[in-house]
Amino acid sequence: MPDKSPAAGKPIRTAITTEDGIDFAIIELFFFAYRDFTSDPDQILADYGFGRAHHRVLHFVNRRPGLTVAELLDVLKITKQSLARVLKQLIDTDHVVQLQGPRDRRQRELYPTAKGRALALALARPQSRRIHAALKDSGATERTLVERFLEAMVNPELRAQIDVGSAKLSGKSHGEQ
Amino acid sequence: MPDKSPAAGKPIRTAITTEDGIDFAIIELFFFAYRDFTSDPDQILADYGFGRAHHRVLHFVNRRPGLTVAELLDVLKITKQSLARVLKQLIDTDHVVQLQGPRDRRQRELYPTAKGRALALALARPQSRRIHAALKDSGATERTLVERFLEAMVNPELRAQIDVGSAKLSGKSHGEQ
DNA sequence: AGATTATGTCAGTACTATTGACGTAATTTC
DNA sequence: GAAATTACGTCAATAGTACTGACATAATCT
Protein backbone atom coordinates (compact mmCIF):
# COMPACT_ATOMS: atom_id res chain seq x y z
CA MET A 1 0.00 0.00 0.00
CA PRO A 2 2.14 2.81 -1.25
CA ASP A 3 -0.52 5.49 -1.04
CA LYS A 4 -1.88 7.33 1.92
CA SER A 5 -4.21 5.77 4.45
CA PRO A 6 -7.65 7.40 4.95
CA ALA A 7 -6.89 10.02 7.60
CA ALA A 8 -3.26 10.65 6.62
CA GLY A 9 -2.03 14.21 6.22
CA LYS A 10 -1.13 15.64 2.86
CA PRO A 11 2.47 15.40 1.73
CA ILE A 12 4.56 18.58 1.88
CA ARG A 13 6.62 18.71 -1.26
CA THR A 14 8.85 21.66 -0.49
CA ALA A 15 12.13 21.23 1.35
CA ILE A 16 12.47 22.73 4.78
CA THR A 17 14.32 26.04 4.55
CA THR A 18 16.27 28.36 6.78
CA GLU A 19 12.95 29.89 7.73
CA ASP A 20 12.64 30.52 11.44
CA GLY A 21 16.38 31.05 11.40
CA ILE A 22 17.05 27.33 11.71
CA ASP A 23 20.65 26.51 10.91
CA PHE A 24 20.20 23.29 9.00
CA ALA A 25 23.56 23.51 7.29
CA ILE A 26 25.59 23.16 10.47
CA ILE A 27 23.10 20.76 12.06
CA GLU A 28 23.57 18.40 9.16
CA LEU A 29 27.32 18.89 8.90
CA PHE A 30 27.67 18.09 12.57
CA PHE A 31 25.78 14.84 12.09
CA PHE A 32 27.87 13.70 9.13
CA ALA A 33 31.13 14.84 10.68
CA TYR A 34 30.52 12.98 13.93
CA ARG A 35 29.35 9.87 12.14
CA ASP A 36 32.56 9.61 10.17
CA PHE A 37 34.70 10.76 13.09
CA THR A 38 33.56 7.76 15.11
CA SER A 39 33.68 5.28 12.25
CA ASP A 40 37.49 5.03 12.24
CA PRO A 41 37.91 3.74 15.80
CA ASP A 42 34.77 1.62 15.45
CA GLN A 43 36.55 -0.58 12.94
CA ILE A 44 39.52 -1.13 15.23
CA LEU A 45 37.27 -1.79 18.21
CA ALA A 46 35.42 -4.51 16.32
CA ASP A 47 38.63 -6.56 16.24
CA TYR A 48 38.64 -6.58 20.04
CA GLY A 49 34.94 -7.26 20.40
CA PHE A 50 34.63 -3.80 21.88
CA GLY A 51 32.21 -0.99 21.12
CA ARG A 52 32.12 2.76 21.38
CA ALA A 53 31.51 2.65 25.11
CA HIS A 54 34.81 0.84 25.65
CA HIS A 55 36.52 3.54 23.64
CA ARG A 56 35.11 6.32 25.77
CA VAL A 57 36.11 4.63 29.03
CA LEU A 58 39.58 3.89 27.70
CA HIS A 59 39.95 7.45 26.52
CA PHE A 60 39.13 9.07 29.84
CA VAL A 61 41.07 6.57 31.92
CA ASN A 62 44.09 7.46 29.81
CA ARG A 63 43.42 11.16 29.92
CA ARG A 64 42.88 11.25 33.69
CA PRO A 65 44.65 8.26 35.19
CA GLY A 66 43.49 7.60 38.70
CA LEU A 67 39.99 8.94 38.27
CA THR A 68 37.41 7.17 40.37
CA VAL A 69 34.38 5.26 39.14
CA ALA A 70 32.10 8.09 40.29
CA GLU A 71 34.14 10.67 38.40
CA LEU A 72 34.05 8.56 35.27
CA LEU A 73 30.27 8.20 35.53
CA ASP A 74 29.98 11.95 35.85
CA VAL A 75 32.09 12.61 32.78
CA LEU A 76 30.30 10.04 30.63
CA LYS A 77 26.86 10.90 31.98
CA ILE A 78 25.77 7.29 32.16
CA THR A 79 24.63 5.06 35.03
CA LYS A 80 26.87 2.69 36.91
CA GLN A 81 24.90 -0.25 35.52
CA SER A 82 25.75 0.85 32.01
CA LEU A 83 29.39 1.25 32.89
CA ALA A 84 29.64 -2.06 34.73
CA ARG A 85 29.79 -4.46 31.80
CA VAL A 86 32.13 -2.30 29.77
CA LEU A 87 34.53 -1.61 32.61
CA LYS A 88 34.56 -5.25 33.64
CA GLN A 89 35.54 -6.30 30.14
CA LEU A 90 38.34 -3.75 30.00
CA ILE A 91 39.65 -4.97 33.35
CA ASP A 92 39.32 -8.64 32.40
CA THR A 93 41.27 -8.03 29.20
CA ASP A 94 43.98 -6.21 31.13
CA HIS A 95 43.47 -2.81 29.53
CA VAL A 96 42.51 -1.12 32.79
CA VAL A 97 43.39 -1.82 36.43
CA GLN A 98 41.66 -0.70 39.59
CA LEU A 99 43.56 0.41 42.69
CA GLN A 100 42.09 1.07 46.07
CA GLY A 101 41.81 4.80 46.75
CA PRO A 102 44.60 5.97 49.06
CA ARG A 103 42.55 8.54 50.97
CA ASP A 104 39.19 6.77 50.77
CA ARG A 105 39.49 3.02 50.51
CA ARG A 106 35.96 2.68 49.17
CA GLN A 107 37.02 4.37 45.98
CA ARG A 108 38.49 2.56 43.00
CA GLU A 109 41.06 4.52 41.10
CA LEU A 110 41.21 3.54 37.44
CA TYR A 111 44.49 3.36 35.56
CA PRO A 112 45.39 2.16 32.08
CA THR A 113 47.93 -0.62 31.64
CA ALA A 114 50.55 -0.47 28.92
CA LYS A 115 48.11 -2.48 26.82
CA GLY A 116 45.31 -0.02 27.53
CA ARG A 117 47.53 2.94 26.76
CA ALA A 118 48.53 1.41 23.45
CA LEU A 119 44.95 0.74 22.44
CA ALA A 120 43.87 4.25 23.39
CA LEU A 121 46.60 5.66 21.19
CA ALA A 122 45.72 3.35 18.32
CA LEU A 123 42.09 4.48 18.51
CA ALA A 124 42.97 8.16 18.73
CA ARG A 125 45.43 8.09 15.85
CA PRO A 126 42.96 7.97 12.93
CA GLN A 127 40.75 10.55 14.60
CA SER A 128 43.68 12.87 15.08
CA ARG A 129 44.75 12.31 11.50
CA ARG A 130 41.28 13.27 10.35
CA ILE A 131 41.34 16.46 12.41
CA HIS A 132 44.81 17.29 11.18
CA ALA A 133 43.70 16.82 7.58
CA ALA A 134 40.64 18.99 8.13
CA LEU A 135 42.85 21.77 9.45
CA LYS A 136 45.74 21.23 7.09
CA ASP A 137 45.47 24.62 5.38
CA SER A 138 44.66 26.37 8.62
CA GLY A 139 46.85 28.26 11.01
CA ALA A 140 46.74 28.55 14.76
CA THR A 141 43.97 31.13 14.56
CA GLU A 142 41.57 28.85 12.71
CA ARG A 143 42.40 26.01 15.03
CA THR A 144 41.63 28.09 18.09
CA LEU A 145 38.40 29.18 16.49
CA VAL A 146 37.26 25.62 15.93
CA GLU A 147 38.18 24.73 19.49
CA ARG A 148 36.28 27.71 20.81
CA PHE A 149 33.23 26.82 18.74
CA LEU A 150 33.18 23.24 19.95
CA GLU A 151 33.63 24.31 23.54
CA ALA A 152 30.80 26.81 23.21
CA MET A 153 28.57 23.96 21.98
CA VAL A 154 28.97 22.19 25.33
CA ASN A 155 26.54 22.91 28.14
CA PRO A 156 28.08 25.68 30.25
CA GLU A 157 27.68 23.73 33.52
CA LEU A 158 29.75 20.91 32.05
CA ARG A 159 32.63 22.89 30.67
CA ALA A 160 34.57 22.36 33.88
CA GLN A 161 35.04 18.70 32.92
CA ILE A 162 36.78 19.74 29.77
CA ASP A 163 38.92 22.39 31.35
CA VAL A 164 40.35 19.78 33.67
CA GLY A 165 41.35 17.77 30.67
CA SER A 166 42.81 20.74 28.90
CA ALA A 167 44.77 21.70 31.96
CA LYS A 168 46.25 18.23 32.18
CA LEU A 169 46.87 18.20 28.49
CA SER A 170 48.91 21.37 28.67
CA GLY A 171 50.91 19.86 31.49
CA LYS A 172 49.55 21.88 34.38
CA SER A 173 49.12 20.22 37.73
CA HIS A 174 45.70 20.35 39.28
CA GLY A 175 45.98 19.91 43.04
CA GLU A 176 43.55 17.25 44.20
CA GLN A 177 40.18 16.24 42.87
CA MET B 1 39.04 -7.09 45.25
CA PRO B 2 40.29 -3.64 44.47
CA ASP B 3 43.85 -4.62 43.70
CA LYS B 4 45.31 -6.19 40.65
CA SER B 5 44.86 -9.83 39.72
CA PRO B 6 48.02 -11.97 39.39
CA ALA B 7 48.94 -11.40 35.76
CA ALA B 8 47.57 -7.86 35.42
CA GLY B 9 49.72 -5.14 33.91
CA LYS B 10 51.13 -2.33 35.97
CA PRO B 11 49.11 0.88 36.21
CA ILE B 12 50.33 3.83 34.18
CA ARG B 13 50.00 6.90 36.35
CA THR B 14 50.83 9.60 33.85
CA ALA B 15 48.15 11.16 31.67
CA ILE B 16 48.31 10.58 27.96
CA THR B 17 49.84 13.61 26.29
CA THR B 18 49.96 15.19 22.88
CA GLU B 19 52.89 12.88 22.19
CA ASP B 20 52.70 11.30 18.75
CA GLY B 21 50.91 14.46 17.66
CA ILE B 22 47.55 13.18 18.85
CA ASP B 23 44.99 15.96 19.06
CA PHE B 24 43.21 15.01 22.23
CA ALA B 25 41.82 18.48 22.83
CA ILE B 26 39.61 18.49 19.73
CA ILE B 27 38.83 14.76 20.01
CA GLU B 28 37.40 15.35 23.47
CA LEU B 29 35.66 18.61 22.58
CA PHE B 30 33.98 16.89 19.67
CA PHE B 31 32.66 14.18 21.95
CA PHE B 32 31.26 16.59 24.53
CA ALA B 33 29.87 18.96 21.92
CA TYR B 34 28.01 16.23 20.07
CA ARG B 35 26.68 14.70 23.27
CA ASP B 36 25.09 17.96 24.34
CA PHE B 37 24.04 18.83 20.80
CA THR B 38 21.88 15.71 20.64
CA SER B 39 20.58 15.96 24.20
CA ASP B 40 18.16 18.82 23.41
CA PRO B 41 16.06 16.99 20.81
CA ASP B 42 16.32 13.75 22.80
CA GLN B 43 14.16 15.26 25.52
CA ILE B 44 11.47 16.31 23.08
CA LEU B 45 11.55 12.95 21.32
CA ALA B 46 10.97 11.15 24.60
CA ASP B 47 7.52 12.76 24.81
CA TYR B 48 6.60 11.07 21.55
CA GLY B 49 8.14 7.73 22.42
CA PHE B 50 10.65 8.35 19.67
CA GLY B 51 14.43 8.06 19.67
CA ARG B 52 17.32 9.54 17.81
CA ALA B 53 16.70 7.37 14.79
CA HIS B 54 13.26 8.92 14.32
CA HIS B 55 14.85 12.34 14.45
CA ARG B 56 17.32 11.52 11.72
CA VAL B 57 14.65 10.12 9.42
CA LEU B 58 12.38 13.08 10.05
CA HIS B 59 15.22 15.48 9.41
CA PHE B 60 16.18 14.09 6.03
CA VAL B 61 12.61 13.58 4.86
CA ASN B 62 12.05 17.26 5.56
CA ARG B 63 15.30 18.32 4.00
CA ARG B 64 14.79 16.25 0.85
CA PRO B 65 11.08 15.66 0.44
CA GLY B 66 10.42 12.89 -2.05
CA LEU B 67 13.58 10.95 -1.41
CA THR B 68 13.19 7.23 -1.82
CA VAL B 69 13.75 4.56 0.80
CA ALA B 70 17.00 3.53 -0.88
CA GLU B 71 18.28 7.11 -0.87
CA LEU B 72 17.43 7.48 2.79
CA LEU B 73 19.28 4.28 3.63
CA ASP B 74 22.28 5.57 1.77
CA VAL B 75 22.31 8.87 3.63
CA LEU B 76 21.85 7.29 7.05
CA LYS B 77 24.20 4.39 6.34
CA ILE B 78 21.98 1.86 8.05
CA THR B 79 20.22 -1.29 6.85
CA LYS B 80 16.63 -1.43 5.71
CA GLN B 81 15.78 -3.63 8.68
CA SER B 82 16.98 -0.93 11.02
CA LEU B 83 14.98 1.68 9.18
CA ALA B 84 11.81 -0.41 8.96
CA ARG B 85 10.51 -0.06 12.51
CA VAL B 86 11.35 3.61 12.79
CA LEU B 87 9.84 4.54 9.45
CA LYS B 88 6.71 2.51 10.13
CA GLN B 89 6.17 4.35 13.41
CA LEU B 90 6.58 7.72 11.73
CA ILE B 91 4.07 6.71 9.07
CA ASP B 92 1.61 5.26 11.58
CA THR B 93 1.73 8.46 13.62
CA ASP B 94 1.15 10.53 10.49
CA HIS B 95 4.47 12.33 10.50
CA VAL B 96 5.57 10.90 7.17
CA VAL B 97 3.65 9.66 4.11
CA GLN B 98 4.76 7.40 1.31
CA LEU B 99 3.80 8.00 -2.31
CA GLN B 100 4.35 5.64 -5.17
CA GLY B 101 7.26 6.78 -7.32
CA PRO B 102 6.00 8.43 -10.52
CA ARG B 103 8.74 7.14 -12.81
CA ASP B 104 9.36 3.83 -11.05
CA ARG B 105 6.32 2.51 -9.23
CA ARG B 106 8.44 0.20 -7.07
CA GLN B 107 9.90 3.19 -5.32
CA ARG B 108 8.35 4.85 -2.29
CA GLU B 109 8.81 8.58 -2.16
CA LEU B 110 8.86 9.89 1.40
CA TYR B 111 7.25 13.20 2.31
CA PRO B 112 6.63 14.92 5.62
CA THR B 113 3.09 15.84 6.62
CA ALA B 114 2.34 19.17 8.29
CA LYS B 115 2.67 17.32 11.57
CA GLY B 116 6.04 15.89 10.56
CA ARG B 117 7.25 19.28 9.38
CA ALA B 118 6.27 20.85 12.68
CA LEU B 119 8.07 18.19 14.71
CA ALA B 120 11.20 18.48 12.59
CA LEU B 121 11.24 22.22 13.23
CA ALA B 122 10.63 21.76 16.93
CA LEU B 123 13.56 19.37 17.14
CA ALA B 124 15.87 21.59 15.12
CA ARG B 125 15.06 24.75 17.06
CA PRO B 126 17.09 24.08 20.22
CA GLN B 127 19.99 22.76 18.15
CA SER B 128 19.96 25.88 16.03
CA ARG B 129 19.77 28.03 19.14
CA ARG B 130 22.82 26.29 20.51
CA ILE B 131 24.76 26.83 17.30
CA HIS B 132 23.68 30.44 17.18
CA ALA B 133 24.82 30.97 20.77
CA ALA B 134 28.16 29.32 20.06
CA LEU B 135 28.70 31.70 17.14
CA LYS B 136 27.17 34.76 18.74
CA ASP B 137 30.36 36.82 18.77
CA SER B 138 31.41 35.54 15.39
CA GLY B 139 31.04 37.03 11.95
CA ALA B 140 30.46 35.39 8.62
CA THR B 141 34.12 34.51 8.33
CA GLU B 142 34.18 32.44 11.49
CA ARG B 143 30.94 30.79 10.55
CA THR B 144 32.27 29.77 7.17
CA LEU B 145 35.38 28.45 8.85
CA VAL B 146 33.41 26.22 11.16
CA GLU B 147 31.35 24.94 8.26
CA ARG B 148 34.46 24.23 6.27
CA PHE B 149 36.04 22.39 9.16
CA LEU B 150 33.00 20.20 9.71
CA GLU B 151 32.71 19.45 6.02
CA ALA B 152 36.39 18.52 5.89
CA MET B 153 35.77 16.06 8.72
CA VAL B 154 33.38 14.09 6.52
CA ASN B 155 34.68 11.27 4.35
CA PRO B 156 35.41 12.75 0.91
CA GLU B 157 33.35 10.09 -0.89
CA LEU B 158 30.32 11.12 1.11
CA ARG B 159 30.49 14.86 0.72
CA ALA B 160 28.16 14.71 -2.25
CA GLN B 161 25.30 13.86 0.12
CA ILE B 162 25.86 17.11 1.97
CA ASP B 163 26.28 19.27 -1.08
CA VAL B 164 22.80 18.34 -2.22
CA GLY B 165 21.47 19.55 1.10
CA SER B 166 23.47 22.74 1.01
CA ALA B 167 22.28 23.50 -2.49
CA LYS B 168 18.69 23.15 -1.37
CA LEU B 169 19.36 25.12 1.75
CA SER B 170 20.66 28.09 -0.15
CA GLY B 171 17.60 28.01 -2.33
CA LYS B 172 19.15 26.66 -5.48
CA SER B 173 17.13 24.33 -7.64
CA HIS B 174 18.61 20.95 -8.26
CA GLY B 175 17.08 19.45 -11.36
CA GLU B 176 15.91 15.93 -10.60
CA GLN B 177 17.15 13.41 -8.09
C1' DA C 1 25.78 3.21 66.66
C1' DG C 2 23.53 4.83 62.75
C1' DA C 3 23.48 7.28 58.44
C1' DT C 4 25.65 8.10 54.30
C1' DT C 5 28.77 7.18 50.49
C1' DA C 6 31.27 4.40 46.83
C1' DT C 7 30.95 0.60 44.48
C1' DG C 8 29.15 -3.78 42.68
C1' DT C 9 25.53 -6.76 41.02
C1' DC C 10 21.03 -8.87 39.65
C1' DA C 11 16.84 -8.43 36.96
C1' DG C 12 14.05 -6.55 33.57
C1' DT C 13 13.35 -3.43 29.73
C1' DA C 14 14.07 -0.26 25.59
C1' DC C 15 16.26 1.46 21.49
C1' DT C 16 19.16 1.03 17.71
C1' DA C 17 21.72 -1.58 15.11
C1' DT C 18 23.28 -6.00 12.76
C1' DT C 19 22.99 -10.52 9.44
C1' DG C 20 20.34 -13.79 6.95
C1' DA C 21 16.34 -15.35 4.67
C1' DC C 22 12.22 -14.97 2.13
C1' DG C 23 8.30 -12.68 -0.50
C1' DT C 24 6.13 -9.46 -3.84
C1' DA C 25 5.69 -6.29 -7.31
C1' DA C 26 7.79 -3.66 -10.99
C1' DT C 27 11.35 -2.91 -14.23
C1' DT C 28 15.01 -4.31 -17.17
C1' DT C 29 17.38 -7.59 -20.04
C1' DC C 30 17.84 -11.06 -23.31
C1' DG D 1 7.53 -12.94 -23.34
C1' DA D 2 10.43 -15.34 -19.92
C1' DA D 3 14.15 -14.58 -16.80
C1' DA D 4 16.90 -11.71 -14.05
C1' DT D 5 17.28 -7.78 -11.36
C1' DT D 6 15.69 -4.07 -8.46
C1' DA D 7 12.96 -1.72 -4.66
C1' DC D 8 10.81 -2.56 -0.88
C1' DG D 9 8.79 -5.10 3.05
C1' DT D 10 9.01 -8.48 6.69
C1' DC D 11 10.26 -12.31 9.93
C1' DA D 12 13.70 -14.05 13.08
C1' DA D 13 17.72 -13.98 15.82
C1' DT D 14 21.45 -11.42 17.92
C1' DA D 15 24.40 -7.54 19.82
C1' DG D 16 25.64 -3.18 22.07
C1' DT D 17 24.34 0.48 24.85
C1' DA D 18 21.47 2.53 27.59
C1' DC D 19 17.74 2.75 31.35
C1' DT D 20 15.11 1.98 36.22
C1' DG D 21 14.74 -0.39 40.46
C1' DA D 22 16.40 -3.18 44.06
C1' DC D 23 19.69 -5.02 47.08
C1' DA D 24 24.50 -5.97 49.17
C1' DT D 25 29.00 -4.70 51.14
C1' DA D 26 32.50 -2.11 52.90
C1' DA D 27 34.24 2.27 54.42
C1' DT D 28 33.60 6.80 56.07
C1' DC D 29 31.14 10.39 58.44
C1' DT D 30 28.10 12.23 62.12
Side-chain angles (χ1 to χ4, degrees), chain B residues 145-170:
Chain B
L145 233 127
V146 166
E147 280 181 5
R148 225 178 281 163
F149 168 74
L150 289 174
E151 185 166 352
M153 289 288 285
V154 179
N155 287 346
E157 327 81 84
L158 306 173
R159 268 174 223 157
Q161 298 181 338
I162 301 167
D163 294 337
V164 174
S166 301
K168 281 198 174 178
L169 179 79
S170 57

Side-chain angles (χ1 to χ4, degrees), chain A residues 80-152:
Chain A
K80 61 178 173 176
Q81 296 90 332
S82 298
L83 176 62
R85 174 188 55 94
V86 169
L87 183 56
K88 192 176 190 319
Q89 288 174 333
L90 286 171
I91 291 168
D92 288 348
T93 54
D94 194 34
H95 288 93
V96 172
V97 289
Q98 285 181 314
L99 298 185
Q100 205 170 51
R103 280 170 289 279
D104 186 336
R105 291 185 315 184
R106 289 171 305 180
Q107 295 184 331
R108 304 286 178 264
E109 291 185 346
L110 303 173
Y111 294 92
T113 62
K115 197 175 167 190
R117 172 62 54 99
L119 181 52
L121 277 170
L123 293 169
R125 212 163 281 131
Q127 294 192 311
S128 189
R129 246 191 273 116
R130 184 183 288 267
I131 292 166
H132 192 74
L135 290 172
K136 70 172 185 305
D137 301 323
S138 306
T141 320
E142 283 104 321
R143 202 207 136 80
T144 305
L145 232 127
V146 166
E147 280 182 6
R148 227 179 278 163
F149 168 74
L150 289 175
E151 186 167 350

Side-chain angles (χ1 to χ4, degrees), chain B residues 49 51-54 56 77-82 85 103-106:
Chain B
R52 230 171 258 185
H54 299 84
R56 292 196 287 265
K77 295 268 172 288
I78 56 171
T79 59
K80 61 177 173 178
Q81 294 91 330
S82 298
R85 175 188 55 94
R103 281 169 289 279
D104 185 334
R105 292 184 314 181
R106 289 171 304 180

Side-chain angles (χ1 to χ4, degrees), chain B residues 27-40:
Chain B
I27 288 177
E28 218 159 277
L29 281 169
F30 213 43
F31 164 69
F32 285 120
Y34 195 76
R35 183 190 63 180
D36 291 349
F37 175 69
T38 52
S39 70
D40 294 327

